[in-house]
C-alpha cells in the first residue's frame, strides 16, 4: 500500500486509457488539434458514471461587475475551484499530443498500411562522399594510398631474389646468356644488363663455385618476395605518374518527399450539417496522415457548388452556399492550380473530393471522369457522405467507381456515419498502398 | 498516526495561534470539534489531498491519479496555501510547512469553522448516528481488508482493482437522505421467487388442504402477481445497497451469473460505507466552504487575528482563493452566508422601525433618515475599540462584557491589545461585528424593497410601539443575524440552503447569471439573470451531488431476472455515452442483462437547419428509450411515451433559455 504503488498503477492504467485512435477519428473532438499537433484526448476522470449531458445541463456563472446580458456568448464553462476536497471532479480530460508523424505511424499500425512516399522534387545537389576519381586534380585530393599500393604491386612484380640469381652466375660454365635463359624459365624478372653487370663483378675464382646448375639449386634455396620484404623491408617503392588518382566528391540529388493535397468539397444546398461534418472527419485525418508522411505538405482547398473557388482551410469546412452542383467546376480549377503551382514532376499529388454524390446531369461522365484521367496524381479519391442512405439522383460516386474499377489510383469511399470514417480512410490509403 | 507520513505535531510557533483560534471561535459562537494540527511538507500535503485528507486508504490507482493532478495543478498555480481537514472527532488538520505564518493562521481559522460545521450539521450526523465518525480508523481498517484481498494468492489483484473501479462508478448512486445502515444488516428478501408449488410441498400439507385451498387456480393467480416486480417494492435510489443484496457476479468462463465471492461482497460493502461517509461533505460543499470562508474572514480580517504585519499577505491569499474562475463554491457560499446575515439583521431593524409611530411600509423610505439609523446601529465605541488603557470604562455587569476576562485583564493576565475580543461575550462580539454597520453593506438597509417592508409589517403585532427611532433601535438584537446563521448551519444542506435563501437581490448584487448551450450558434450563451433561473441551475448542479437520479425499478424485469434501472428525467438528458459505459459496469454487479429506461432529446436535422437560419433554438423531441446491455452488446429500443411517462418530471423545467429564442 502507499502512494508510490498507487502512482505506478495510475501510470500503467493511464497508458491504457488513451482514446483509441479510430474512436478518436470517428467520434472525438478534432477541433482541438492543429495541423502541426494532433491532440488525442486522454480521459483522466475515466471512470464513467450516470451524469447529465453537459451541454444540456447549462450552468451558472458569475460576472465581475458586469453581468453578461442574455444572448452574449460566455465561453466554455470552466470547472469550479478545485481544492481537492472529497468528491471533487476536475477537468474532464487531458490531451495526449502527437505530431503528424506519430499520427501517421499509429494509423499505419492501426490499419496495417505501409505507404512509402516518393521523393519527387530535386531540392538540392549536395557533395556526397569522395568516391569518384580522376587522373588530374589538386594535390590535396591525390589518392596517395592507391598510388602507394600500385607502386608496391609494381615493385613486387619486378622484384626477384638477387642472391639466388648471383649463385646461378657462379655455376661453372654458365655465363649471363645461359643464366638469362634459365631465369626466364623460372619467371624471374631479371634483366640481361643486370646479369652482365653482376658477372663482371665476380672474381674468376667465384665463377666456378658450383659444378652444375642442379648442384646449385639443390644447395641454395630461393627466397620468395614476401619473405624477403618481411625480412628487409621495402626500401623503395616506384611511384609512377600513371598510378596517380585524384578523388572528387559524388554529387547527390536530394529528393524532397513533398505532397500537395487538393481537398474539394461540395458546399451546395444539399450538403447539410451532418454531411459536412462527415467530410471534415474524413479529410482532416487524411491531411494529418499525409502531413506526417511527407517532408513537406501543402494543401489546396476548393469549395464548389455549380462554380468552384479556392478558399483557406479555416473557411473550408464551414462554407454553405445555396447553388446547384457541378463537380467538374472543381476539377477544372484543381487542374489549373496544379499545373501552375505543383508540376507533376516535382510534386506528389492527392486529389480528394467529397460530397453527397449529387451532380448535374452528365457532368460526371462527360467532364469529371476525363478530367480525373487527365490530372496525373498519386491518388484521386471521392468520398460520398450520405447519412440518410442514397438519394436517387446521387450517382457520382457510383459512376466514378464503375469507370475506374480496378484502377490503382482512384478510390471511392462511402461514409454514411462516423462509424464508416476509418474504413473510408483505409480504403483510400490502401488504394495507393497497393499500387506500388 | 501511521508512520507513512512523519507528521509532526504543531510546531512551537503555531501553538499559540492554534489555541487562541479555538478560543476566538468559541467567542464567536462556534463550537468546533477539537482539532489536532499536523505539520507536513509539500509532498505530504499533496498526498493527503489525493487521499481525501486521510493517510491510509485502500490501494487504488485513482489516488495516484489525484496526486499527479494535484502536483501539476500546484506547479501551475504556484504555492497556494493549503488546508485540509477531515471530518472526525477530534478532527485532524494539516498545515503545510512552507506556508507563511499568516497563511497558517488563515488556515487554522478556516479549519476551526469546518470543524464546527462537521460537529453540528445534521447531514454529517446521518453517517455517525450521533456518535463520532472515527473516520481515520474506519478507512484504515478498510484499507487493510482490501490490501489483504490484493495480496491473497487466490485472488487476482487486477480483479480486485477492477471491482473497485466498478463500484466507484456508482459511488454517488446511494440514498443521500437516508441515515447510513450497513447493507448487510438489513433483512434480505429473496429475489428468486421459489416456485410456490415447491414451497407448498415443503410445508408438507395434507393433500386435501392443498387441493381445497391452494388449488391450481390459486397458484395460477399467485404466479401472475408474484413476479410483477415486487423487488424493490419502491423505486430504490441506493443502487449499491440493492446490488449488494441482490446482485451477482458474472463468470466469464461459464458465461453465467454466479454468487459474488466473499471478497467481492466485502469490498462492495466497505466502499458503500465510504460513499456514505463522504456523502455529507458532498452535500454541503457550498455551505461548508462558505461557512469556513466567512468565519476565516471574520477572524482574520475583522478580528485582526493575523496581526497587522501579516494582514497584507493574508488578504492576498484570501483574494486568490476567492478569485478562482468559474462558479466557485467558496465564494458562492460566503456571499450567501453574508447575504443571509444582512437580510436577517435588516429584517430585525425593519421590524423595529416599522413599530415606530408614524413609520409605515409606505412611507418608510421617505421618513427614515438612514444616516441616523446607521450611526445608531454602529457598535458602541467601548467595545469597538478596546485598548489596554481603557479597561476602567468597562462595566462587568454589561452582558456584552466577559466579566471573568475583564478581571483577568485587570490583573494583567490577558494581552488586551493583542486579543481584545477576550473581554467580550458572544453578545459583545455580535455588536462589534454587526454586519449592517460595515461600510460594504452601507446601502443595504435603504435598499429594502417595498414588498419586503409590506410583508414584514403584515406580520407585526401592534402591541409594542416605539415613540421614536432611537428607542426602537436601542432594542435591536445584534445577535439576530448570527443566531440565524447557526440555526441554518445545523439543519440545511446545499440544496435547501440555495433553495431557501437565493433571492433576486442576491443574484443582482453578486452578478450571477445562467448560461446554456445554444444549438443555433454552437456555443454557450448567457440566458438569464432571473434569480429563479439561477436557482434552478444551481439546484440542478447540487441536487443529488449534481447527478441525475437513477433508481432500481425492477430486479426481475421481464420475468427474466434482468435489472431495470430508470433515469428520472427532469428535462436534462443523460450523457448517454457515459450511461452506456456505466451500464457495462452495472452488469458486472448484476451478472445478468441490465436495462436503463431514459428519455433523450432528439433534434431533427431539418429543424436544426431551419432554426440556424432563423437564429432560433430548435425544439427537440423527447423520446423514451430502453438501453439494454447483455454483457456483450447493447440494444436501444424506442419506448412509447406511456412507458416513460412515470419517469418524466412535468413540474420542473431547467431550461433557462428565453422563450422568444425558441423556433
Amino acid at each position: 500500500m502507499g502512494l508510490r504503488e498507487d502512482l505506478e498503477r495510475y501510470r500503467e492504467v493511464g497508458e491504457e486509457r488513451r482514446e483509441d485512435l479510430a474512436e478518436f477519428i470517428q467520434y472525438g473532438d478534432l477541433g482541438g488539434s492543429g495541423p502541426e499537433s494532433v491532440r488525442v484526448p486522454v480521459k483522466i476522470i475515466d471512470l464513467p458514471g450516470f451524469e447529465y449531458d453537459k451541454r444540456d445541463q447549462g450552468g451558472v456563472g458569475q460576472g465581475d461587475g458586469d453581468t453578461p446580458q442574455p444572448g452574449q456568448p460566455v465561453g466554455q464553462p470552466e470547472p469550479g475551484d478545485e481544492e481537492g476536497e472529497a468528491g471533487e471532479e476536475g477537468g474532464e480530460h487531458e490531451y495526449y499530443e502527437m505530431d503528424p508523424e506519430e499520427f501517421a505511424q499509429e494509423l499505419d499500425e492501426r490499419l496495417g498500411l505501409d505507404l512509402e512516399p516518393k521523393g519527387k522534387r530535386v531540392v538540392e545537389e549536395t557533395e556526397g562522399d569522395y568516391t569518384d576519381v580522376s587522373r588530374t586534380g589538386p594535390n590535396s585530393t591525390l589518392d596517395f594510398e592507391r598510388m602507394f599500393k600500385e607502386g608496391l604491386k609494381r615493385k613486387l612484380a619486378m622484384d626477384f631474389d638477387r642472391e639466388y640469381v648471383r649463385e646461378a652466375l657462379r655455376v661453372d660454365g654458365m655465363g649471363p646468356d645461359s643464366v638469362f635463359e634459365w631465369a626466364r624459365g623460372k619467371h624471374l624478372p631479371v634483366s640481361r644488363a643486370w646479369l652482365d653487370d653482376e658477372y663482371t663483378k665476380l672474381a674468376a675464382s667465384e665463377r666456378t663455385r658450383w659444378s652444375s646448375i642442379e648442384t646449385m639449386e639443390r644447395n641454395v634455396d630461393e627466397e620468395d618476395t614476401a619473405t624477403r620484404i618481411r625480412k628487409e623491408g621495402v626500401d623503395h617503392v616506384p611511384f609512377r605518374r600513371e598510378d596517380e588518382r585524384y578523388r572528387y566528391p559524388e554529387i547527390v540529388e536530394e529528393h524532397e518527399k513533398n505532397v500537395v493535397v487538393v481537398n474539394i468539397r461540395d458546399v451546395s444546398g444539399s450538403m447539410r450539417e451532418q454531411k459536412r461534418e462527415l467530410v471534415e472527419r474524413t479529410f482532416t485525418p487524411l491531411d494529418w496522415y499525409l502531413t506526417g508522411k511527407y517532408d513537406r505538405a501543402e494543401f489546396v482547398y476548393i469549395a464548389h457548388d455549380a462554380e468552384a473557388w479556392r478558399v483557406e482551410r479555416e473557411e473550408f469546412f464551414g462554407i454553405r452556399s445555396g447553388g446547384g452542383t457541378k463537380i467538374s467546376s472543381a476539377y477544372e480549377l484543381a487542374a489549373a492550380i496544379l499545373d501552375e503551382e505543383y508540376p507533376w514532376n516535382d510534386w506528389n499529388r492527392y486529389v480528394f473530393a467529397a460530397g453527397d454524390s449529387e451532380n448535374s446531369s452528365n457532368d460526371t461522365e462527360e467532364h469529371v471522369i476525363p478530367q480525373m484521367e487527365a490530372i496525373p496524381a498519386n491518388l484521386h479519391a471521392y468520398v460520398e457522405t450520405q447519412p440518410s442512405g442514397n438519394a436517387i439522383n446521387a450517382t457520382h460516386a457510383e459512376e466514378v467507381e464503375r469507370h475506374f474499377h480496378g484502377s490503382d489510383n482512384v478510390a471511392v469511399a462511402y461514409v454514411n456515419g462516423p462509424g464508416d470514417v476509418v474504413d473510408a480512410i483505409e480504403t483510400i490509403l490502401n488504394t495507393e498502398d497497393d499500387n506500388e | 498516526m501511521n508512520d507513512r507520513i512523519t507528521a509532526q505535531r504543531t510546531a512551537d510557533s503555531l501553538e499559540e495561534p492554534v489555541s487562541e483560534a479555538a478560543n476566538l471561535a468559541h467567542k464567536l459562537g462556534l463550537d468546533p470539534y477539537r482539532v489536532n494540527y499536523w505539520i507536513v511538507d509539500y509532498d505530504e500535503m499533496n498526498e493527503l489531498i489525493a487521499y481525501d485528507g486521510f493517510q491510509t486508504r485502500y490501494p487504488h490507482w485513482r489516488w495516484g491519479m489525484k496526486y499527479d493532478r494535484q502536483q501539476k495543478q500546484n506547479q501551475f498555480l504556484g504555492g497556494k496555501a493549503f488546508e485540509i481537514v477531515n471530518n472526525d472527532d477530534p478532527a485532524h488538520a494539516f498545515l503545510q510547512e512552507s506556508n507563511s505564518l499568516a497563511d497558517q493562521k488563515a488556515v487554522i481559522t478556516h479549519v476551526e469553522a469546518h470543524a464546527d460545521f462537521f460537529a453540528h450539521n445534521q447531514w454529517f450526523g446521518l453517517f455517525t448516528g450521533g456518535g463520532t465518525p472515527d473516520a481515520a480508523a474506519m478507512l484504515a481498517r478498510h484499507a487493510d481488508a482490501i490490501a489483504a484481498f490484493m495480496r491473497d494468492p487466490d485472488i487476482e489483484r487486477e480483479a480486485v482493482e477492477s471491482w473497485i473501479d466498478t463500484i466507484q462508478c456508482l459511488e454517488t448512486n446511494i440514498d443521500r437522505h437516508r441515515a447510513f445502515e450497513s447493507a448487510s444488516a438489513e433483512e434480505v428478501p429473496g429475489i428468486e421467487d421459489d416456485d410456490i408449488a415447491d414451497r407448498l410441498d415443503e410445508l408438507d400439507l395434507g393433500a386435501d388442504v392443498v387441493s381445497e385451498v391452494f388449488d391450481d387456480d390459486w397458484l395460477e393467480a399467485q404466479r401472475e402477481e408474484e413476479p410483477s416486480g415486487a423487488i424493490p417494492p419502491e423505486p430504490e435510489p441506493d443502487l449499491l445497497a440493492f446490488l449488494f443484496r441482490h446482485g451477482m457476479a458474472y463468470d466469464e468462463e461459464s458465461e453465467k451469473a454466479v454468487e459474488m465471492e466473499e471478497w467481492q461482497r466485502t469490498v462492495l460493502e466497505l466502499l458503500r460505507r465510504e460513499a456514505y461517509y463522504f456523502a455529507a461533505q458532498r452535500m454541503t460543499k457550498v455551505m461548508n466552504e462558505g461557512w469556513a470562508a466567512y468565519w476565516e474572514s471574520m477572524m482574520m480580517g475583522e478580528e485582526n487575528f493575523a496581526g497587522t504585519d501579516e494582514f497584507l499577505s493574508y488578504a492576498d491569499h484570501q483574494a486568490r482563493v476567492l478569485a478562482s474562475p468559474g462558479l466557485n463554491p467558496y465564494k458562492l457560499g460566503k456571499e450567501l452566508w453574508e447575504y443571509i446575515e444582512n437580510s436577517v439583521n435588516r429584517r430585525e431593524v425593519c421590524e423595529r422601525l416599522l413599530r415606530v409611530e408614524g413609520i409605515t411600509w409606505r412611507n418608510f423610505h421617505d421618513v427614515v433618515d438612514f444616516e441616523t439609523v446607521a450611526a445608531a446601529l454602529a457598535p458602541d465605541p467601548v467595545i469597538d475599540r478596546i485598548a489596554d488603557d481603557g479597561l476602567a470604562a468597562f462595566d462587568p455587569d454589561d452582558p456584552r462584557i466577559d466579566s471573568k476576562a475583564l478581571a483577568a485583564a485587570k490583573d494583567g493576565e490577558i494581552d488586551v491589545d493583542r486579543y481584545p475580543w477576550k473581554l467580550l461575550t458572544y453578545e459583545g462580539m455580535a455588536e462589534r461585528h454587526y454586519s449592517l454597520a460595515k461600510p460594504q453593506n452601507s446601502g443595504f438597509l435603504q435598499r429594502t424593497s417595498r414588498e419586503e417592508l409590506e410583508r414584514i409589517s403584515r406580520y407585526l403585532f401592534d402591541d409594542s410601539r416605539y415613540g421614536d427611532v432611537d428607542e426602537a433601535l436601542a432594542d435591536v438584537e445584534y445577535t439576530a443575524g448570527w443566531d440565524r446563521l447557526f440555526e441554518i448551519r445545523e439543519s440545511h444542506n446545499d440544496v435547501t440552503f440555495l433553495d431557501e435563501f437565493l433571492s433576486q437581490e442576491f443574484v443582482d448584487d453578486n452578478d450571477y447569471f445562467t448560461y446554456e448551450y445554444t444549438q443555433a450558434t454552437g456555443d454557450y450563451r448567457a440566458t438569464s439573470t432571473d434569480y429563479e433561473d439561477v436557482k434552478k441551475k444551481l439546484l440542478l448542479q447540487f441536487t443529488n451531488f449534481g447527478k441525475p437520479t437513477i433508481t432500481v425499478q425492477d430486479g426481475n424485469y421481464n420475468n427474466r431476472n434482468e435489472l431495470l434501472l430508470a433515469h428520472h428525467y427532469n428535462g436534462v438528458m443523460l450523457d448517454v455515452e457515459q450511461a452506456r459505459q456505466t451500464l457495462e459496469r452495472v452488469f458486472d454487479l448484476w451478472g445478468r442483462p441490465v436495462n436503463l429506461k431514459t428519455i433523450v432529446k432528439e433534434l431533427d436535422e431539418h429543424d436544426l437547419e431551419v432554426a440556424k437560419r432563423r437564429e432560433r433554438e430548435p425544439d427537440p423531441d423527447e423520446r423514451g428509450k430502453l438501453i439494454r446491455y447483455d454483457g456483450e452488446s447493447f440494444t436501444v429500443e424506442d419506448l412509447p411515451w406511456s412507458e416513460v411517462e412515470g419517469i418524466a418530471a412535468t413540474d420542473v423545467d431547467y431550461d433557462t433559455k428565453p422563450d422568444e429564442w425558441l423556433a
Side-chain angles (χ1 to χ4, degrees):
Chain A
M1 271 195 296
L3 177 65
R4 192 174 311 166
E5 194 182 310
D6 291 339
L7 259 177
E8 231 163 72
R9 274 306 290 153
Y10 163 58
R11 303 235 154 89
E12 284 166 28
V13 171
E15 283 290 293
E16 298 157 16
R17 279 174 205 261
R18 192 174 83 204
E19 193 172 359
D20 177 70
L21 200 62
E23 188 97 341
F24 168 64
I25 288 172
Q26 298 184 154
Y27 305 103
D29 177 9
L30 306 184
S33 310
E36 289 313 310
S37 147
V38 182
R39 302 173 80 201
V40 182
V42 181
K43 291 180 186 146
I44 56 172
I45 289 289
D46 32 8
L47 292 177
F50 291 113
E51 304 269 359
Y52 288 120
D53 180 276
K54 281 280 165 282
R55 285 186 173 177
D56 206 22
Q57 184 175 7
V60 172
Q62 188 174 23
D64 190 13
D66 54 337
T67 314
Q69 286 312 296
Q72 259 175 271
V74 294
Q76 281 291 314
E78 293 178 72
D81 176 70
E82 305 302 337
E83 201 80 354
E85 295 278 319
E88 271 310 298
E89 313 226 328
E92 289 290 302
H93 40 241
E94 285 180 344
Y95 291 92
Y96 177 86
E97 303 228 355
M98 47 168 106
D99 52 29
E101 285 78 30
E102 193 182 347
F103 178 84
Q105 201 181 338
E106 296 238 347
L107 199 65
D108 276 346
E109 278 167 30
R110 186 74 175 61
L111 302 182
L113 298 172
D114 186 20
L115 184 75
E116 250 330 296
K118 291 188 266 289
K120 273 249 170 165
R121 193 167 64 170
V122 175
V123 280
E124 56 181 344
E125 296 185 344
T126 50
E127 298 191 338
D129 293 338
Y130 282 72
T131 48
D132 278 8
V133 286
S134 71
R135 288 180 178 268
T136 56
N139 277 338
S140 61
T141 63
L142 173 67
D143 189 349
F144 183 76
E145 194 180 318
R146 181 179 186 281
M147 192 164 78
F148 183 83
K149 271 189 202 155
E150 291 300 316
L152 193 57
K153 269 193 246 168
R154 182 170 285 111
K155 181 182 164 73
L156 295 183
M158 286 160 41
D159 203 29
F160 57 93
D161 187 349
R162 288 178 171 72
E163 263 323 293
Y164 187 65
V165 177
R166 271 189 207 107
E167 290 301 327
L169 287 172
R170 291 183 181 119
V171 172
D172 193 13
M174 298 253 306
D177 285 342
S178 46
V179 169
F180 185 72
E181 263 165 53
W182 167 80
R184 275 291 147 98
K186 293 186 78 89
H187 303 294
L188 295 169
V190 62
S191 67
R192 183 64 199 268
W194 185 81
L195 287 170
D196 287 342
D197 260 13
E198 290 295 315
Y199 196 69
T200 50
K201 280 187 215 158
L202 289 176
S205 59
E206 287 186 57
R207 292 181 184 168
T208 55
R209 178 181 289 177
W210 309 101
S211 56
S212 70
I213 191 81
E214 288 79 18
T215 323
M216 187 281 284
E217 282 177 350
R218 266 196 310 277
N219 288 288
V220 180
D221 285 336
E222 189 192 356
E223 205 171 34
D224 70 55
T225 313
T227 318
R228 201 168 51 250
I229 288 178
R230 229 168 275 135
K231 201 163 70 190
E232 297 166 6
V234 181
D235 56 342
H236 174 75
V237 175
F239 294 127
R240 297 283 187 279
R241 177 157 271 284
E242 72 246 41
D243 290 343
E244 284 178 1
R245 291 292 183 278
Y246 295 87
R247 290 177 306 167
Y248 69 91
E250 194 180 13
I251 296 300
V252 182
E253 290 190 346
E254 287 257 307
H255 289 270
E256 186 186 51
K257 293 167 184 167
N258 56 355
V259 65
V260 57
V261 183
V262 181
N263 282 330
I264 296 172
R265 192 172 82 78
D266 178 1
V267 298
S268 65
S270 62
M271 286 297 288
R272 298 258 158 78
E273 183 73 11
Q274 253 177 303
K275 296 180 183 173
R276 190 195 66 71
E277 266 183 29
L278 291 176
V279 176
E280 185 168 4
R281 272 200 190 283
T282 315
F283 276 3
T284 307
L286 282 171
D287 287 0
W288 288 336
Y289 180 81
L290 293 169
T291 308
K293 275 285 176 181
Y294 285 88
D295 301 325
R296 175 168 172 215
E298 295 201 4
F299 295 90
V300 174
Y301 296 96
I302 296 175
H304 74 89
D305 43 26
E307 286 170 23
W309 63 104
R310 190 175 181 174
V311 298
E312 292 302 313
R313 187 193 157 79
E314 294 71 43
E315 317 160 65
F316 182 64
F317 291 111
I319 297 178
R320 284 286 309 271
S321 90
T325 310
K326 202 170 147 208
I327 301 178
S328 61
S329 64
Y331 279 94
E332 205 174 297
L333 179 58
I337 293 170
L338 288 173
D339 251 13
E340 176 87 359
E341 300 171 32
Y342 304 99
W344 175 232
N345 281 340
D346 287 350
W347 289 84
N348 290 286
R349 292 164 163 186
Y350 290 80
V351 183
F352 297 150
D356 55 10
S357 260
E358 288 179 24
N359 199 3
S360 51
S361 56
N362 299 332
D363 185 51
T364 303
E365 203 186 326
E366 285 173 14
H367 302 111
V368 179
I369 290 175
Q371 281 168 330
M372 288 171 79
E373 283 171 330
I375 299 174
N378 299 45
L379 187 64
H380 282 280
Y382 186 77
V383 177
E384 177 186 301
T385 59
Q386 197 53 276
S388 43
N390 244 320
I392 315 154
N393 54 346
T395 56
H396 178 75
E398 277 170 47
E399 287 178 54
V400 171
E401 190 174 26
R402 207 179 316 124
H403 182 87
F404 289 103
H405 183 74
S407 151
D408 59 4
N409 77 337
V410 178
V412 175
Y414 300 88
V415 178
N416 298 323
D420 298 335
V421 168
V422 169
D423 284 348
I425 290 174
E426 188 176 5
T427 305
I428 292 167
L429 294 176
N430 256 329
T431 303
E432 194 200 356
D433 192 22
D434 293 345
N435 73 12
E436 295 301 315
Chain B
M1 285 291 133
N2 100 13
D3 56 10
R4 193 154 55 77
I5 288 176
T6 49
Q8 173 199 343
R9 276 300 284 272
T10 328
D12 291 347
S13 66
L14 290 176
E15 256 171 36
E16 187 178 331
V18 161
S19 61
E20 294 302 346
N23 290 338
L24 176 53
H26 280 103
K27 282 283 184 196
L28 291 165
L30 297 164
D31 177 28
Y33 282 140
R34 194 165 58 76
V35 185
N36 286 332
Y37 289 90
W38 306 84
I39 308 274
V40 296
D41 67 23
Y42 173 78
D43 290 333
E44 290 164 341
M45 182 58 88
N46 282 334
E47 184 173 344
L48 281 159
I49 290 169
Y51 288 82
D52 295 337
F54 293 92
Q55 297 186 29
T56 312
R57 300 294 298 276
Y58 54 85
H60 198 248
W61 57 266
R62 231 182 172 189
W63 315 127
M65 173 187 83
K66 283 173 76 179
Y67 179 81
D68 186 67
R69 213 168 71 195
Q70 187 67 35
Q71 258 192 334
K72 284 184 187 145
Q73 194 179 34
N74 292 341
Q75 276 164 9
F76 178 64
L77 291 176
K80 202 168 170 178
F82 281 114
E83 150 259 332
I84 191 153
V85 54
N86 55 46
N87 160 30
D88 214 339
D89 181 19
H92 292 281
F94 300 90
L95 304 173
Q96 191 175 307
E97 207 172 18
S98 55
N99 283 347
S100 70
L101 186 61
D103 281 343
Q104 302 292 30
K105 286 184 176 176
V107 168
I108 292 165
T109 56
H110 192 91
V111 161
E112 292 292 331
H114 273 315
D116 167 79
F117 198 91
F118 293 147
H120 294 281
N121 183 273
Q122 67 164 17
W123 297 97
F124 284 84
L126 277 185
F127 180 79
T128 59
T132 58
D134 209 8
M138 170 192 79
L139 296 171
R141 275 198 310 277
H142 293 182
D144 285 342
I146 291 173
F149 292 140
M150 287 189 171
R151 280 194 306 269
D152 188 330
D154 293 338
I155 304 171
E156 266 181 68
R157 191 200 154 101
E158 305 250 324
V160 181
E161 210 169 54
S162 128
W163 190 252
I164 294 172
D165 287 359
T166 297
I167 298 162
Q168 283 193 352
C169 292
L170 299 175
E171 70 183 349
T172 52
N173 294 99
I174 55 177
D175 187 349
R176 67 198 183 281
H177 290 126
R178 190 155 61 189
F180 174 74
E181 282 173 73
S182 166
S184 56
E186 288 171 45
E187 190 60 30
V188 181
I191 181 140
E192 280 73 21
D193 34 87
D194 303 348
D195 198 88
I196 291 186
D198 289 348
R199 270 192 263 163
L200 288 174
D201 284 350
E202 284 164 24
L203 289 174
D204 206 13
L205 300 167
D208 44 58
V209 176
V210 173
S211 63
E212 281 291 307
V213 184
F214 306 112
D215 59 8
D216 286 351
D217 288 348
W218 182 86
L219 272 177
E220 208 46 55
Q222 290 306 302
R223 281 209 185 88
E224 276 167 26
E225 280 171 29
E226 205 175 47
S228 67
I231 294 163
E234 296 287 325
E236 169 63 73
D238 190 339
L239 264 53
L240 288 180
F242 186 83
L243 291 164
F244 180 85
R245 285 188 215 117
H246 308 298
M248 294 177 93
Y250 183 74
D251 182 48
E252 299 273 352
E253 274 172 34
S254 64
E255 297 185 354
K256 275 201 308 224
V258 293
E259 287 300 325
M260 288 181 197
E261 304 272 347
E262 203 44 47
W263 68 264
Q264 291 177 315
R265 298 178 62 80
T266 309
V267 171
L268 178 49
E269 168 85 25
L270 298 185
L271 294 198
R272 178 174 168 272
R273 185 190 298 267
E274 294 192 5
Y276 270 91
Y277 167 73
F278 287 109
Q281 254 145 292
R282 292 185 182 144
M283 286 173 71
T284 54
K285 174 97 180 158
V286 172
M287 282 181 82
N288 196 352
E289 291 302 348
W291 186 252
Y294 173 89
W295 291 107
E296 173 192 328
S297 150
M298 177 66 67
M299 293 191 241
M300 292 295 286
E302 312 278 331
E303 208 37 271
N304 205 15
F305 191 66
T308 320
D309 49 335
E310 294 154 7
F311 183 74
L312 272 183
S313 146
Y314 160 70
D316 180 48
H317 156 78
Q318 176 89 346
R320 262 183 296 151
V321 171
L322 295 181
S324 306
L327 179 74
N328 180 337
Y330 291 68
K331 194 158 181 240
L332 171 63
K334 179 168 184 276
E335 285 167 351
L336 196 49
W337 281 116
E338 284 167 348
Y339 175 72
I340 296 168
E341 180 190 23
N342 284 332
S343 310
V344 174
N345 283 335
R346 175 168 72 184
R347 189 185 171 91
E348 165 76 12
V349 172
C350 289
E351 279 179 9
R352 303 286 169 193
L353 289 175
L354 286 170
R355 280 193 235 164
V356 174
E357 296 293 347
I359 298 182
T360 69
W361 63 269
R362 288 174 200 281
N363 69 10
F364 186 85
H365 287 98
D366 305 326
V367 181
V368 175
D369 176 357
F370 291 99
E371 277 176 29
T372 319
V373 173
L377 288 174
D380 185 341
V382 174
I383 58 173
D384 192 25
R385 283 183 296 279
I386 300 169
D388 198 28
D389 50 11
L391 292 182
F394 288 113
D395 172 6
D397 294 330
D398 186 331
R400 300 173 302 179
I401 303 298
D402 183 333
S403 53
K404 268 194 224 150
L406 181 61
K410 283 180 174 160
D411 292 344
E413 285 165 22
I414 289 175
D415 183 348
V416 175
D417 289 333
R418 188 141 184 224
Y419 302 119
W421 45 268
K422 290 198 170 191
L423 296 184
L424 300 180
T425 60
Y426 172 67
E427 284 78 12
M429 293 295 271
E431 182 173 336
R432 185 170 154 91
H433 299 294
Y434 192 60
S435 76
L436 294 183
K438 290 176 190 169
Q440 66 266 34
N441 301 325
S442 56
F444 198 73
L445 185 60
Q446 195 166 0
R447 285 202 303 271
T448 318
S449 67
R450 296 279 288 270
E451 295 74 34
E452 164 131 27
L453 289 166
E454 188 188 357
R455 211 164 35 239
I456 294 169
S457 58
R458 204 180 300 148
Y459 296 105
L460 280 183
F461 296 109
D462 264 351
D463 54 353
S464 54
R465 282 272 171 191
Y466 295 112
D468 59 38
V469 169
D470 285 342
E471 195 187 327
L473 293 179
D475 269 2
V476 164
E477 295 274 359
Y478 284 99
T479 57
W482 283 2
D483 288 349
R484 185 78 183 109
L485 298 193
F486 288 116
E487 285 166 28
I488 293 166
R489 74 99 153 73
E490 273 185 32
S491 56
H492 281 265
N493 60 42
D494 283 347
V495 171
T496 59
F497 184 62
L498 291 166
D499 191 27
E500 189 164 341
F501 301 109
L502 204 77
S503 71
Q504 190 63 54
E505 186 178 20
F506 175 76
V507 168
D508 291 344
D509 286 355
N510 295 288
D511 304 315
Y512 284 102
F513 62 92
T514 62
Y515 60 80
E516 303 273 5
Y517 183 81
T518 65
Q519 302 287 347
T521 53
D523 58 9
Y524 289 89
R525 301 267 163 157
T527 45
S528 172
T529 52
D530 184 304
Y531 86 102
E532 292 285 2
D533 285 331
V534 172
K535 187 190 283 186
K536 269 194 302 210
K537 281 287 178 208
L538 284 174
L539 290 181
L540 183 61
Q541 201 169 335
F542 291 102
T543 303
N544 193 31
F545 315 115
K547 316 269 168 140
T549 302
I550 309 284
T551 60
V552 181
Q553 299 278 312
D554 193 348
N556 186 23
Y557 185 56
N558 284 338
N559 218 356
R560 284 189 306 224
N561 284 327
E562 294 189 10
L563 181 67
L564 175 65
L565 302 177
H567 160 223
H568 294 252
Y569 176 75
N570 55 9
V572 181
M573 65 182 265
L574 283 180
D575 178 334
V576 176
E577 190 45 44
Q578 272 204 68
R580 290 163 75 116
Q581 291 166 6
T582 314
L583 274 186
E584 291 177 349
R585 303 292 189 154
V586 176
F587 177 86
D588 292 339
L589 296 169
W590 186 249
R592 293 149 291 181
V594 290
N595 300 267
L596 173 70
K597 229 188 229 191
T598 184
I599 293 172
V600 300
K601 289 179 181 170
E602 286 181 348
L603 270 179
D604 180 38
E605 205 189 330
H606 176 73
D607 289 351
L608 183 60
E609 289 284 328
V610 171
K612 278 196 177 182
R613 218 168 298 147
R614 297 191 191 147
E615 297 191 344
R616 286 281 183 271
E617 279 302 283
D619 192 17
D621 288 326
E622 296 178 332
R623 285 187 214 284
K625 299 271 179 189
L626 184 75
I627 306 173
R628 179 173 182 272
Y629 179 69
D630 65 4
E632 278 185 3
S633 56
F634 284 95
T635 50
V636 180
E637 193 188 310
D638 286 323
L639 293 176
W641 189 253
S642 58
E643 288 271 325
V644 291
E645 223 168 359
I647 59 168
T650 47
D651 52 339
V652 283
D653 177 11
Y654 286 105
D655 193 350
T656 60
K657 279 176 219 144
D659 287 342
E660 66 268 20
W661 287 16
L662 298 177

